[in-house]
Amino acid sequence: MSKLYEKILNKSAIIGVMGMGYVGLPLAVEKARAGYNVIGFDIQQKRVDMINEGKNYIGDVNNEELKQLVNEKRLRATTNFEELENCDVISICVPTPLDKFKQPDLSYIIQTAEDISKRLHREQLIILESTTYPGTTEEVVLPILLKSGLEVGKDFYLAFSPERVDPGNIRYKTRNTPKVVGGVTSECTKYAKALYENVLDAPVFPVSSPKTAEMSKILENTFRLVNIALVQEMTKVAEKMNVNIWEVIDAASTKPFGYMPFYPGPGIGGHCIPIDPFYLSYKAREYDLHLMLVEQAGQVADEMPYYVVQRLGDILNEFKKPFNGSKILVLGVAYKGNIDDMRESPALKVIEILERKKAEVYYFDPFIPEFSLNGKSYKSIDLDKEVLKKFDGAIITTAHTIGIDYEYIIENLPFVFDTKNVLKNFKNRENIYVL
């Protein structure tokens, strides 16, 4: 038994987590909770300071648990990457965005791998967790680490284990979500599997390679993109046929096999679904393949905010109001309900389109007090009666169920356009319009 493997099993290994965001901080907390000493690395001093003060900034992390782990010196954070040399295990949880041409931006992964490579030593396990295209671990990260002169599978160990974070999910958190691991060699897989079996209250599934693990993550989110795009297209047809798409979905959901519900809305948000499938589409072109279904699903999703604004225009027309000069209240700018995450939120695109049409746009979101878009600053307004009566209407773009008194809003506005079906149980629907 190697020293590293023994350290992993007896929890004496020091674990570094690079990137203290929506993936990294919950993961660091779980590893510390399991009994390991954990160092969180981040380039943002504010995040580092908050962690070291026991202050939480991620909704899925328990405030008291974080404070306790910091007080017990199980978890701390730093901006000093020299401390990577002290780590036995390093998890990479850095962002993997798309550029404006929807091509992968691996600059964060590359820079992180370079930082590790400079300090890589024998008996270290490196696990890439950032979602990326199949082949990244072996084609991008591994060559950088090999600059150290060390041999993978013998001197150090490298694996990929995709993050599965669903912000705001009440049932499934990092702790109880099954984990997939795929190592460059069988020994790499063995070490990564042993680590997560010691950390999680969920099964760990080893696969034959990092590429398989990378592909599994892409498949999960491509499945969701394609099915959401399907229901978005059906929404447009249903509206033309004067059929309530939400009732259709509820009816189809009564089938106990061969179907699962997906729901429409103003678009698709979050880090995963609008981004991950295009990593695969990008990689497929290397093999002279074009993933037409993926690309068309992405196009459908991209068009949805425009369709929603067009529907809003039709509603305004009923009230003899043009876009130009109308005061519109946007309810929710987070990408999903009851969280403070704005990444790729379709509400932002809706706001952008409305402002191009010369509407006066304001917003309310109990989870996001302020934000910036295209150089302009926005602040969540106070929803008192006098303020509401100045608006021509509102559009619900986020399914918040906490912190919004919808009944009060409906009573004081000419209409509310509900794109998320959060008002489905309201009996008085005279001024409620549904997507």
Side-chain angles (χ1 to χ4, degrees):
M1 184 185 298
S2 73
K3 289 182 180 178
L4 175 59
Y5 194 66
E6 187 176 354
K7 283 183 174 182
I8 290 172
L9 293 182
N10 65 26
K11 300 184 179 180
S12 64
I14 298 173
I15 299 180
V17 179
M18 302 195 70
M20 290 285 96
Y22 287 91
V23 175
L25 182 56
L27 190 64
V29 166
E30 289 307 321
K31 289 176 175 177
R33 182 195 66 86
Y36 293 97
N37 285 322
V38 179
I39 305 172
F41 295 86
D42 204 283
I43 59 174
Q44 296 185 38
Q45 188 65 51
K46 182 178 178 181
R47 282 183 176 179
V48 167
D49 292 341
M50 288 184 72
I51 292 170
N52 290 334
E53 292 168 10
K55 295 178 181 178
N56 180 32
Y57 52 86
I58 299 293
D60 286 349
V61 171
N62 182 281
N63 297 343
E64 293 305 313
E65 189 169 48
L66 174 63
K67 187 179 295 185
Q68 182 180 345
L69 292 169
V70 170
N71 290 339
E72 292 175 354
K73 302 191 185 305
R74 286 287 185 188
L75 173 62
R76 64 182 177 88
T78 183
T79 57
N80 180 13
F81 286 12
E82 293 301 325
E83 292 201 47
L84 288 168
E85 194 171 343
N86 301 325
C87 297
D88 301 295
V89 178
I90 301 172
S91 293
I92 301 173
C93 305
V94 295
T96 49
L98 296 174
D99 65 19
K100 64 181 180 179
F101 302 110
K102 290 201 169 182
Q103 296 186 88
D105 176 3
L106 298 185
S107 59
Y108 295 99
I109 289 180
I110 292 169
Q111 183 58 57
T112 301
E114 293 281 3
D115 289 332
I116 294 171
S117 182
K118 294 172 187 175
R119 302 158 180 94
L120 191 66
H121 57 74
R122 286 181 173 80
E123 298 290 303
Q124 270 187 316
L125 167 64
I126 314 299
I127 306 175
L128 177 60
E129 310 239 357
S130 304
T131 303
T132 183
Y133 63 75
T136 301
T137 304
E138 293 164 288
E139 297 167 12
V140 177
V141 176
L142 180 57
I144 295 173
L145 298 183
L146 290 176
K147 292 179 184 178
S148 64
L150 301 176
E151 183 179 344
V152 69
K154 179 181 177 183
D155 299 321
F156 73 95
Y157 307 88
L158 176 63
F160 181 81
S161 182
E163 55 89 1
R164 282 172 164 171
V165 174
D166 185 17
N169 192 312
I170 302 300
R171 183 177 178 186
Y172 289 107
K173 306 289 186 183
T174 301
R175 185 178 308 176
N176 65 339
T177 300
K179 206 85 163 81
V180 172
V181 297
V184 174
T185 69
S186 59
E187 283 293 285
C188 297
T189 303
K190 172 185 169 183
Y191 281 45
K193 180 174 181 285
L195 173 69
Y196 281 112
E197 286 178 337
N198 254 2
V199 169
L200 304 178
D201 297 332
V204 180
F205 294 93
V207 294
S208 59
S209 68
K211 193 176 290 187
T212 302
E214 290 160 341
M215 181 78 87
S216 73
K217 171 65 176 179
I218 300 294
L219 175 59
E220 293 169 20
N221 288 322
T222 302
F223 170 81
R224 295 173 70 189
L225 171 67
V226 169
N227 281 281
I228 293 171
L230 171 63
V231 81
Q232 287 176 335
E233 291 223 304
M234 292 195 70
T235 298
K236 298 176 183 179
V237 175
E239 189 262 330
K240 294 293 184 184
M241 299 175 68
N242 198 29
V243 174
N244 186 316
I245 189 63
W246 303 95
E247 187 178 4
V248 171
I249 294 168
D250 287 345
S253 298
T254 63
K255 184 179 180 182
F257 54 89
Y259 176 82
M260 69 167 55
F262 289 84
Y263 301 95
I268 299 177
H271 175 68
C272 292
I273 305 175
I275 293 176
D276 297 354
F278 295 100
Y279 273 81
L280 183 60
S281 181
Y282 165 83
K283 189 64 176 178
R285 290 196 289 272
E286 185 178 312
Y287 300 91
D288 292 327
L289 295 172
H290 292 273
L291 303 184
M292 300 299 293
L293 184 60
V294 173
E295 292 170 8
Q296 288 176 356
Q299 184 178 349
V300 170
D302 288 344
E303 290 174 353
M304 203 62 187
Y306 293 92
Y307 172 74
V308 164
V309 171
Q310 174 241 304
R311 286 284 309 278
L312 178 59
D314 293 341
I315 298 167
L316 282 168
N317 190 55
E318 291 184 28
F319 290 83
K320 297 182 171 55
K321 294 281 185 178
F323 275 120
N324 194 335
S326 289
K327 290 189 175 182
I328 304 298
L329 175 60
V330 173
L331 295 171
V333 291
Y335 86 83
K336 66 181 291 190
N338 303 333
I339 66 170
D340 63 354
D341 191 345
M342 289 176 52
R343 289 177 296 174
E344 307 297 324
S345 173
L348 303 181
K349 191 65 180 180
V350 169
I351 291 173
E352 189 179 291
I353 299 167
L354 285 173
E355 294 206 328
R356 284 207 300 265
K357 292 181 177 293
K358 307 300 183 183
E360 294 182 36
V361 184
Y362 300 81
Y363 89 97
F364 174 78
D365 192 312
F367 294 86
I368 301 174
E370 58 185 306
F371 71 93
S372 294
L373 177 65
N374 298 328
K376 181 177 177 180
S377 296
Y378 296 79
K379 287 190 176 182
S380 183
I381 67 168
D382 294 325
L383 296 183
D384 63 64
K385 187 178 293 188
E386 292 306 312
V387 170
L388 286 175
K389 287 190 179 298
K390 295 177 181 178
F391 285 99
D392 295 297
I395 177 171
I396 298 175
T397 45
T398 307
H400 288 314
T401 58
I402 299 170
I404 297 184
D405 186 344
Y406 290 110
E407 189 168 353
Y408 177 76
I409 293 170
I410 292 167
E411 287 174 355
N412 290 284
L413 282 176
F415 71 85
V416 175
F417 178 29
D418 182 5
T419 73
K420 300 296 289 185
N421 206 30
V422 295
L423 306 180
K424 61 182 178 182
N425 295 323
F426 278 67
K427 292 181 180 179
N428 185 3
R429 308 188 63 81
E430 289 182 6
N431 63 336
I432 296 175
Y433 293 77
V434 182
L435 184 64

